[in-house]
Amino acid sequence: MQGQAQQQAYDRGITIFSPDGRLYQVEYAREAVKRGTASIGVRTEGGVVLAVDKRIRSELMERTSVEKIHKADNHIGIASAGHVADARQLIDFARRQAQVNRLRYGEPIGVETLTKEVTDHIQQYTQVGGARPFGVALIIGGIENGEPRLYETDPSGTPYEWKALAVGADRGELQEYLEDNYTEAMDLDGGIELALRALASVNDNELSPEGVGLATVDAESESFLELSNDETEEYLAELDLLGSDDDSDEQEPEE
């Protein structure tokens, strides 16, 4: 009984390490990320691709209100998986940091610099009493000095750089698909195809344009572009992934 009581104390305290060096609240935050619908990032020679699963639980919900892809700056996009409100707070923070950098230094912020600013902010919430970690993971992609860069933020406040990654639901299966099919020489269209095929692989090989979000950051123009439903539908039709729009038995989105 005493051991159980000690376990519960470690469980509740964000500032207390367990005897084996774990912060349980951070691990719970990672579980919240797993409950969110999937997001994928792919780095190519031509730029960065962000693709997200925008499935919703009700036909009465306006699909435009489900936002999983965000513009942080002209040259940086962010995709999220996890709690919607937490994602919104971090993206607003990222946008402020990008604007502060432009005002202070007269130049766009680096992708790595922005990612570390965000993860430093996230990390503060793993060591402050009376707060909880952010239950969201972000994929931050953009162009830095003409080179595509792609990063992940973890609820612990740790940044990771990737060539291609998935966060959210079905991460294991999606990551395995990306590892098997990714090639560094692919162009931007190749990255879009890879991201869409990866999402389709965990959705019965069918996707609807309303249920998928797509955005690119082109290396040449260094500009963020979110694709419309019509443009997404063209890609899905070309790849023979266009399916029916049926969300009747899908999980609750967390973003």
Side-chain angles (χ1 to χ4, degrees):
M1 180 66 71
Q2 184 177 1
Q4 183 178 3
Q6 290 177 344
Q7 171 73 27
Q8 291 174 348
Y10 298 129
D11 182 79
R12 292 193 297 268
I14 185 59
T15 61
I16 304 173
F17 285 99
S18 71
D20 56 350
R22 297 162 64 185
L23 289 174
Y24 288 106
Q25 291 291 325
V26 172
E27 295 184 16
Y28 297 157
R30 292 194 180 110
E31 291 300 316
V33 173
K34 293 178 183 178
R35 289 183 55 84
T37 52
S39 295
I40 292 176
V42 179
R43 190 183 77 191
T44 74
E45 289 185 344
V48 173
V49 176
L50 300 175
V52 300
D53 189 338
K54 294 173 61 176
R55 289 176 294 173
I56 61 174
R57 64 183 182 273
S58 173
E59 289 297 325
L60 299 179
M61 183 181 291
E62 285 287 352
R63 292 186 179 275
T64 54
S65 68
V66 181
E67 294 183 295
K68 286 174 60 68
I69 293 180
H70 309 262
K71 179 180 178 180
D73 203 344
N74 293 335
H75 63 302
I76 299 177
I78 300 178
S80 64
H83 284 297
V84 177
D86 289 9
R88 187 173 63 247
Q89 289 293 315
L90 289 179
I91 289 160
D92 284 348
F93 175 83
R95 287 169 172 166
R96 288 195 299 271
Q97 294 305 115
Q99 292 305 306
V100 166
N101 193 87
R102 283 184 180 273
L103 289 171
R104 183 175 295 165
Y105 302 112
E107 63 183 18
I109 193 169
V111 183
E112 181 179 5
T113 300
L114 179 62
T115 301
K116 290 184 176 179
E117 292 279 0
V118 172
T119 51
D120 285 350
H121 182 65
I122 292 171
Q123 194 275 335
Q124 293 177 21
Y125 285 80
T126 68
Q127 61 181 29
V128 177
R132 64 161 176 79
F134 289 94
V136 65
L138 303 179
I139 299 175
I140 302 178
I143 310 301
E144 182 173 344
N145 297 324
E147 295 294 327
R149 306 291 294 273
L150 185 68
Y151 288 88
E152 172 195 7
T153 71
D154 180 78
S156 68
T158 306
Y160 303 96
E161 186 168 12
W162 293 82
K163 298 175 182 177
L165 80 150
V167 295
D170 302 311
R171 173 169 183 161
E173 294 90 336
L174 290 167
Q175 200 66 36
E176 183 177 355
Y177 186 94
L178 293 172
E179 289 171 0
D180 290 341
N181 295 277
Y182 177 82
T183 58
E184 294 191 33
M186 66 175 56
D187 59 11
L188 208 54
D189 282 340
I192 292 174
E193 177 178 352
L194 175 62
L196 290 177
R197 290 196 184 278
L199 281 179
S201 70
V202 295
N203 286 283
D204 300 322
N205 289 315
E206 288 188 349
L207 298 170
S208 68
E210 295 83 6
V212 175
L214 266 179
T216 62
V217 187
D218 182 79
E220 185 175 351
S221 63
E222 299 191 5
S223 58
F224 172 89
L225 174 65
E226 187 167 5
L227 278 66
S228 67
N229 285 348
D230 290 340
E231 291 170 319
T232 302
E233 185 173 6
E234 289 179 11
Y235 276 105
L236 293 176
E238 182 180 343
L239 299 173
D240 196 25
L241 299 175
L242 193 59
S244 59
D245 185 14
D246 183 6
D247 298 318
S248 58
D249 57 354
E250 289 162 355
Q251 71 188 82
E252 178 178 346
E254 298 275 1
E255 189 165 312

